Amino acid sequence: MRKRNESVTVEHERAAAAVPGPLDKGCTLRRSLRLPASATAEGMKRPLGRRYGLWFRLRKLIFWLLGMYIAIPFLVKLCPAIQAKLVFLNFVRVPYFIDLKRPQDQGLNHTCNYYLQPEEDVTIGVWHTVPAALWKNARGKDQLWFEEALGSSHPVILYLHGNAGTRGGDHRVELYKVLSSLGYHVVTFDYRGWGDSIGSPSERGMTYDALHVFDWIKARSGDNPVYIWGHSLGTGVATNLVRRLCERETPPDALILESPFTNIREEARSHPFSIYRYFPGFDWFFLDPITTSGIKFANDENVKYISCSLLILHAEDDPVVPFHLGKKLYNIAATSRSFRDYKVQFVPFHTDLGYRHKYIYRSPELPRILREFLGKSEHELHH
């Protein structure tokens, strides 16, 4: 009997050892039943390790970006050609995949594509859009017909586009259409190194290309007025060209500058996209290499030697060439002795219109502005 009781007692104790102990008041197991301290510490290390790894990678990225930000000014200083590329942006071809030999693909059915050779080993692509009055006659005509058409009784505008893109840029094509509808021949081209034009870009080369096209027009246009229209960086080419024409006493009939700047250094310093303008030594790192590359585009100096009528168009909300630079250029020209016998006019476009850097062609006032400035009525332009 005693043995049986002892065996029952032993079995009871074994069962008690297998069953969890009593619960605390909060219905939780007593501390004696919690996980070992080593297991708890290991579980906590994992999220801490992940957070530390993420912060390490983020810090590494920040240091890398900071290093690049500091290294770029030194790279530009050592290689001025980089800064020249950023000024010209001739490697940016927008819109892509268009055939510049076929202006009709851009809606210019009354346009002919030429190729001219200003210098040996330099070939430039040219578009010639005839006035609206000649659209029907222009269908199916060859280059010779278009060249002879320059001698018709319609004025000619030589358009000098800005940096980046080609003569087939969307906003440029829309301006050609507007000017053609107002009765102008429009001749435009891609500088050497732009579009399908062959050669290396430079300020001297761009100016010489413009001079060659101007002389080519004058040889075919007879006594018809020839106006120069420059936009953005093209205003620098335009004032270079017109200054040279005035010096040789063959000035154009008028100069039109759309979104102009004073000179390339002030434009680079004022450019809203410049993230380095407050960088210590900004002029030495970024502006001096531009000058070293032979790039000046000194509109403010050129206007002091120009003797023909000048019209400046500028939108107040221009995000690329600040409005105040266009206004400053006008103030310099208006007080210049070279313009004392010529008309100098500045036309601002209010911010609410949203014309920004390249949409002034949308202005319904543009035909009136050109008519009053150039002294021709639309009826006269079409006849």
Side-chain angles (χ1 to χ4, degrees):
M1 189 70 179
R2 181 179 296 175
K3 288 182 179 179
R4 184 180 179 185
N5 288 340
E6 288 177 357
S7 63
V8 170
T9 302
V10 170
E11 289 175 4
H12 183 269
E13 289 175 354
R14 289 176 179 172
V19 176
L23 299 175
D24 291 332
K25 291 183 180 180
C27 296
T28 58
L29 294 175
R30 289 178 178 174
R31 291 182 180 178
S32 60
L33 298 178
R34 291 178 183 173
L35 292 172
S38 60
T40 304
E42 184 179 349
M44 292 178 66
K45 283 180 181 178
R46 289 174 183 172
L48 286 174
R50 283 196 294 269
R51 285 198 294 269
Y52 178 78
L54 179 62
W55 165 242
F56 177 78
R57 288 192 293 271
L58 181 60
R59 187 172 61 178
K60 187 176 179 180
L61 177 63
I62 292 172
F63 280 121
W64 183 84
L65 291 174
L66 183 61
M68 286 294 296
Y69 180 79
I70 295 173
I72 286 174
F74 291 94
L75 185 63
V76 169
K77 184 66 179 178
L78 293 173
C79 304
I82 295 175
Q83 190 71 322
K85 285 284 188 182
L86 295 176
V87 171
F88 296 137
L89 291 178
N90 60 303
F91 56 89
V92 178
R93 180 167 175 168
V94 180
Y96 296 98
F97 311 119
I98 69 169
D99 187 353
L100 293 170
K101 296 182 179 67
R102 295 177 52 82
Q104 59 268 30
D105 291 349
Q106 309 307 309
L108 296 172
N109 296 320
H110 44 293
T111 299
C112 186
N113 181 66
Y114 309 147
Y115 288 97
L116 303 179
Q117 191 170 13
E119 295 179 310
E120 188 177 358
D121 299 327
V122 174
T123 302
I124 57 175
V126 181
W127 280 0
H128 172 198
T129 302
V130 297
L134 303 178
W135 286 2
K136 291 182 179 179
N137 295 334
R139 292 178 181 173
K141 297 299 193 299
D142 59 10
Q143 179 175 335
L144 181 60
W145 182 92
F146 275 83
E147 290 187 32
E148 292 176 347
L150 286 169
S152 62
S153 57
H154 296 81
V156 184
I157 291 179
L158 171 57
Y159 178 78
L160 306 172
H161 68 66
N163 66 353
T166 68
R167 61 190 184 276
D170 294 340
H171 64 283
R172 294 162 186 164
V173 168
E174 293 305 314
L175 179 62
Y176 311 155
K177 292 177 181 178
V178 170
L179 297 177
S180 174
S181 69
L182 296 177
Y184 297 96
H185 288 278
V186 182
V187 178
T188 187
F189 67 95
D190 280 320
Y191 317 104
R192 61 187 71 188
W194 272 259
D196 57 353
S197 296
I198 298 171
S200 300
S202 67
E203 181 176 352
R204 186 208 67 83
M206 295 164 71
T207 303
Y208 191 81
D209 293 345
L211 177 63
H212 181 80
V213 177
F214 178 86
D215 288 340
W216 180 87
I217 292 170
K218 289 296 290 184
R220 292 157 177 77
S221 61
D223 295 330
N224 295 326
V226 178
Y227 309 122
I228 309 294
W229 184 312
H231 172 244
S232 192
L233 188 68
T235 64
V237 181
T239 62
N240 282 348
L241 169 63
V242 176
R243 175 178 176 175
R244 187 164 178 174
L245 293 175
C246 291
E247 288 174 347
R248 76 176 194 184
E249 299 183 352
T250 58
D253 292 275
L255 171 62
I256 301 169
L257 301 178
E258 179 188 358
S259 307
F261 49 87
T262 47
N263 58 69
I264 198 65
R265 289 179 70 97
E266 286 197 0
E267 160 59 9
R269 189 181 294 113
S270 303
H271 200 292
F273 301 152
S274 174
I275 61 174
Y276 286 98
R277 83 177 83 163
Y278 302 113
F279 192 89
F282 175 78
D283 285 20
W284 188 78
F285 279 113
F286 291 96
L287 303 186
D288 291 349
I290 296 177
T291 306
T292 301
S293 300
I295 303 173
K296 297 180 180 178
F297 292 115
N299 290 336
D300 50 354
E301 284 298 314
N302 288 338
V303 294
K304 298 175 183 178
Y305 300 92
I306 289 175
S307 51
C308 68
S309 296
L310 172 64
L311 172 64
I312 295 178
L313 311 171
H314 213 136
E316 293 178 351
D317 59 337
D318 190 329
V320 178
V321 180
F323 178 78
H324 71 86
L325 291 185
K327 186 67 174 177
K328 182 177 179 180
L329 181 64
Y330 165 74
N331 292 332
I332 294 171
T335 57
S336 174
R337 295 178 61 184
S338 65
F339 284 103
R340 61 190 173 194
D341 297 325
Y342 299 94
K343 187 190 307 183
V344 179
Q345 185 178 351
F346 182 84
V347 179
F349 294 87
H350 196 272
T351 301
D352 294 343
L353 297 172
Y355 295 153
R356 299 172 67 78
H357 183 60
K358 56 187 181 182
Y359 301 113
I360 287 177
Y361 73 84
R362 295 176 178 174
S363 173
E365 294 297 312
L366 187 59
R368 177 190 60 79
I369 293 168
L370 295 177
R371 183 172 64 247
E372 292 179 357
F373 177 76
L374 299 176
K376 293 278 186 179
S377 68
E378 288 185 46
H379 177 77
E380 289 173 323
L381 291 174
H382 285 281
H383 296 80

